[in-house]
Every structure is written in C-alpha cells, then in structure tokens.
Amino acid sequence: MNVLLVNPPLYDFAAHNFWMKPYGLLQIATVLKLSGSSVCFFDFCDTLHQSITDRRLRRDSYGRSKLPAKVVGRPAPFASFNRRYRRYGLPISVFACFLDEQLSEKGNFDAALITSSMTYWYPGVFEVIQFLKERFGRDFPIFVGGTYSTLCSDHLRSKLTVNGIYTRNGWLGESFPLPNDFDFQPADFSLYKNLSFGVTRLSRGCPFRCTYCASAVLEPKFRLRPLDLVWEELRPLAKRNVRDIAFYDDSLLTHSEHLKAFAEAIKRENFNFRFHTPNGLHARYISPEVARLLKETSFETIFIGYECADEKILTEIGGKVFFDEVKYALQNLKDSGFPPQRITLYALIGHPKIGYEALEHSISEAEKLGVRIMLAEYSPIPQTPDGETALKRFSLDAHQEPLFSNNTYFTELVLGTEKVQRLKDRVRLHNQRIAGFLK
Ligand code: SF4
C-alpha cells in the first residue's frame, strides 16, 4: 500500500510555528511502515522545506519560526472584522511538484490521510481535500483525522465527501485500519529532511476537567506512555543533533514517578537535548524536588498555566491552579536556578467569565511575579462546557461554522479591539523589561 500523509496549510489572523509538528500523523507513519506500507509525507507547515528562500522566516535560538504567509480575502463570517486574514503554509504549487515526484518514484497512491488541528483552521483541510479530488478524481480514498475531525465531524460531513473521519469514538464512514495503540508509537521524524526541533510525549490526556478545554473530548482517558517508545522516538533525533524538544503532554507533571524515570534515563543516555513545555505545566506540582529535576534534566523554557488571579473564577473554570500555587512554583523554579526570562505565565484573555477589570488585575499580579507573561486568547471550542455557553451567549453557531471559534476573532468580540491592544502593549513592555531591554 502506498499512502499519502498530509499536514494541511492553515488560515488565521496570526500564526507562528511555536514548536508545531503533526505528531499524530508522524506516529501513523511509523505504524504504516511497520505494516509494510510505503509512506509519502508532505507538511505544508515545514518551515525548513527546501523550497523556502524567504530569509524573513528566520528561526529563533530554540528552532521556532514564522510560517510562510499570504494575505487572502476574509471569509464571509469575518467580513466586518477588520484584520488581515492569511493563508499560512507552503504554496499548493510546491505540493503539486511533490506529488509529481512521488508518483514517478513510487507509483499511484492508494489513499490519503489528512490531519487537522484547530477547528477554525479547517479551510486548509478543505483546500487539500479539494485539490486531491481534482487531481486524482472523486473516488480517490481520503481519510481525515485530528482535532477538527473529532470536534466538528458533522461540519466536515455536511460540506465534503471523504471516505472516513476519525473521531475518538472511532471512524465515521469507512475505517482506515490502525492499531489501537497507534498514538503511543514513536513519531517518525525521518520524514523531514531538515529539523530545527522535535516533539515528544510521556503521556496522553489529562486528569483535570477545565471547563474551557477540549482535552477530555479529544483524549477521554489519561494514559502514561511506555518510556521505551519515547526512547525510540528521541534516539534518532539525538543522532541528528536536534537540540530542542517540545513536550506535547497536557499534564506532564501529574505522575512525578514517570517523569523521574524519564529524567534518570535521560542522564544515562547522555542526550544533549533542551526541553520545552509549550502546553503549560501545572504550578501545583512544581515542588522544590520537581523544580530541581526539571533543571537537572535540561528543561530550558518553562510555560505555566496561570489563567487569571481571581480565585472565584479559577474555581468556576476547573480549579486546576490558584495564585498561591503559581507563586510557590515560581519560587521553587528560581531557587533551582531558572532565570526569569525563561519562565512564562499563560494568562487567559477573551474568556467571557474574565472581565476587563479582572484581566487588568491578573496582569498586575503576574507582573509582580517578575517572569514573562503570554496572553492566551480564548477559543470557544465546540463540545466544551464553556465553549457551548459562550457561543450561545454571542449567538454564534460553531457547529455550522467553526470559524466562529477563532481565538483572535472571539477575544476581540468579547473585549473590543482597543482593550485587547492595550493589554497586549502592556504585556509586551513587561516582557521587554524582563528581558532587560527596558528599565
Ligand atoms: S489542565 Fe490543561 S489540559 Fe488539563 S483540562 Fe485543564 S486546560 Fe485542559
């Protein structure tokens, strides 16, 4: 079997390659190869693709970079939202050339698997499906998986015909045969010619149930990943001298024994990695011992879910963290030698329960803690308790039109452009102070 795997382009008001890789698709590549299939892989968001000549897409020291982008017309739901809307990713012509090469090398494809990410990025998924249908005919077998397909399968089914749609409850339509534990398998990074970072996981799912988060829908059970599979993933990256590894875990610290076993093995293997935690860590679990462990295991950047400083709101949205726990975590991290420039608090903005005054207060409190702040714009995700309530409150039907879950759009709808800009400017100045650029 010859299978085409595609990570589509995305459409948004802003996007950045913040350690982004189509991890699930790379795991499927491993499974397919093990079963004797041949795999052709194309990532529209590969910022090190040989076709890219734009120097403005330079990488930072941790391998993150801008994505190739082109301004496009705003779709009808955003007609009155005065912001530039862009297509991010490699041009479709580069994909067409790739297909030509692969066809002459390996022959026809038997099927295509397309992954999906944010629900409101679906126009990129549609672009790839339509292109493949035009190129290979209406009967060409196409299967779609990922976040959008799980959360908005009805939307996809109502708009386009594909053979199978993967959701956490199984396939809708035809099934594409995959073993149950495919999401534990090592991701196959050999499919990239060039790599500036890798990604990994020690677990799947999250034991918490924050009311604004889709983790419980996407991964209903919390499961620890066997460490031997993690090594199979990391060893080839070490051989290629990839230094930066981002964890995709939703809850990396809840099982400290697993993390300890990982840390001990990292020492034994003598890997030269730097680890990053873009999905955010739980402050509650950053004890003095865990903070030391993170430092000794070469965790380089630490991102912490802070959300806001209001205890009542925090309790209402799931109680995963409280202000005193954030202070406790920061003290332990600083005592272990983490410089404040490498610690970032995620502050949630645009959530309808967190009004502007609460936001200003939260940012003032976060500023006093002396570490970086990053504003995380809220997305009302379908099938989440807060998402459904928020969408109803603003009379938006994200099941019919997933674009309404766009975080930039929704945050400005809740707070207004001016207030959002004021908060962003304030946080930018604060971060410049932390970096030592401003007094
Ligand atoms: S702790 Fe994080 S991943 Fe878990 S439910 Fe809350 S927001 Fe989601």
Side-chain angles (χ1 to χ4, degrees), residues 206 208-210 212-213 215 250 282 320:
C206 176
F208 287 83
R209 290 291 177 262
C210 301
Y212 54 92
C213 174
S215 176
D250 285 336
H282 288 91
K320 81 164 181 194

Side-chain angles (χ1 to χ4, degrees), residues 57-343:
L57 300 179
R58 66 183 180 279
R59 292 185 300 282
D60 70 10
S61 55
Y62 296 140
R64 299 166 295 190
S65 66
K66 286 184 176 177
L67 289 159
K70 190 177 165 220
V71 175
V72 294
R74 281 193 302 273
F78 298 145
S80 56
F81 186 55
N82 196 14
R83 290 281 226 102
R84 279 192 185 150
Y85 192 64
R86 294 183 177 87
R87 176 193 182 279
Y88 292 90
L90 297 170
I92 199 85
S93 56
V94 176
F95 182 48
C97 288
F98 165 83
L99 293 179
D100 289 342
E101 281 165 22
Q102 296 296 316
L103 285 167
S104 67
E105 216 176 280
K106 295 184 176 171
N108 288 341
F109 302 113
D110 295 299
L113 298 189
I114 303 171
T115 190
S116 63
S117 187
M118 302 296 183
T119 56
Y120 47 86
W121 289 352
Y122 79 84
V125 178
F126 281 22
E127 180 185 319
V128 174
I129 294 172
Q130 281 157 340
F131 182 82
L132 291 176
K133 294 264 177 200
E134 272 167 33
R135 180 84 196 255
F136 299 118
R138 283 181 49 210
D139 295 334
F140 179 62
I142 294 180
F143 297 83
V144 183
T147 304
Y148 161 69
S149 87
T150 301
L151 296 175
C152 299
S153 53
D154 287 345
H155 177 260
L156 174 53
R157 272 203 293 191
S158 71
K159 299 288 178 192
L160 293 177
T161 304
V162 294
N163 294 61
I165 301 174
Y166 186 76
T167 73
R168 273 286 143 188
N169 299 322
W171 287 97
L172 298 174
E174 269 175 59
S175 303
F176 186 92
L178 290 172
N180 285 339
D181 67 344
F182 82 87
D183 58 1
F184 270 175
Q185 294 308 311
D188 182 359
F189 290 99
S190 72
L191 295 167
Y192 288 95
K193 278 208 175 89
N194 304 304
L195 273 177
S196 60
F197 63 88
V199 298
T200 194
R201 275 177 176 274
L202 300 190
S203 62
R204 300 206 65 110
C206 176
F208 287 83
R209 290 291 177 262
C210 301
T211 52
Y212 54 92
C213 174
S215 176
V217 186
L218 297 168
E219 300 266 0
K221 281 194 192 137
F222 179 73
R223 294 171 295 148
L224 294 175
R225 190 173 178 218
L227 289 180
D228 53 331
L229 297 174
V230 179
W231 306 131
E232 275 186 50
E233 190 164 83
L234 293 182
R235 276 195 200 107
L237 293 172
K239 272 195 195 137
R240 290 177 71 176
N241 293 321
V242 174
R243 281 218 69 199
D244 292 288
I245 305 290
F247 279 98
Y248 273 11
D249 297 66
D250 285 336
S251 195
L252 184 64
L253 303 183
T254 30
H255 280 251
S256 58
E257 290 308 314
H258 201 51
L259 183 70
K260 264 187 224 159
F262 171 80
E264 277 160 22
I266 282 284
K267 269 188 216 153
R268 270 200 313 275
E269 295 266 353
N270 216 9
F271 288 147
N272 189 25
F273 290 135
R274 297 185 293 204
F275 294 108
H276 307 274
T277 58
N279 278 5
L281 299 177
H282 288 91
R284 184 174 304 166
Y285 299 108
I286 306 182
S287 62
E289 191 194 2
V290 168
R292 266 195 308 276
L293 190 74
L294 296 175
K295 186 73 183 132
E296 286 165 11
T297 317
S298 299
F299 277 70
E300 180 78 3
T301 59
I302 300 286
F303 293 81
I304 295 176
Y306 162 71
E307 318 309 12
C308 72
D310 187 311
E311 306 263 310
K312 188 168 164 278
I313 297 172
L314 287 169
T315 306
E316 278 176 28
I317 62 177
K320 81 164 181 194
V321 71
F322 292 100
F323 190 62
D324 283 347
E325 292 170 332
V326 174
K327 284 205 277 193
Y328 164 78
L330 293 183
Q331 193 56 53
N332 295 334
L333 289 167
K334 286 177 188 169
D335 289 349
S336 300
F338 280 98
Q341 298 85 350
R342 296 212 199 127
I343 306 173

Side-chain angles (χ1 to χ4, degrees), residues 410-428:
F410 191 78
T411 296
E412 296 205 11
L413 196 65
V414 171
L415 294 169
T417 307
E418 218 175 277
K419 285 180 179 162
V420 172
Q421 199 51 51
R422 220 180 292 156
L423 293 171
K424 284 185 178 172
D425 291 344
R426 179 172 174 175
V427 165
R428 190 177 310 115

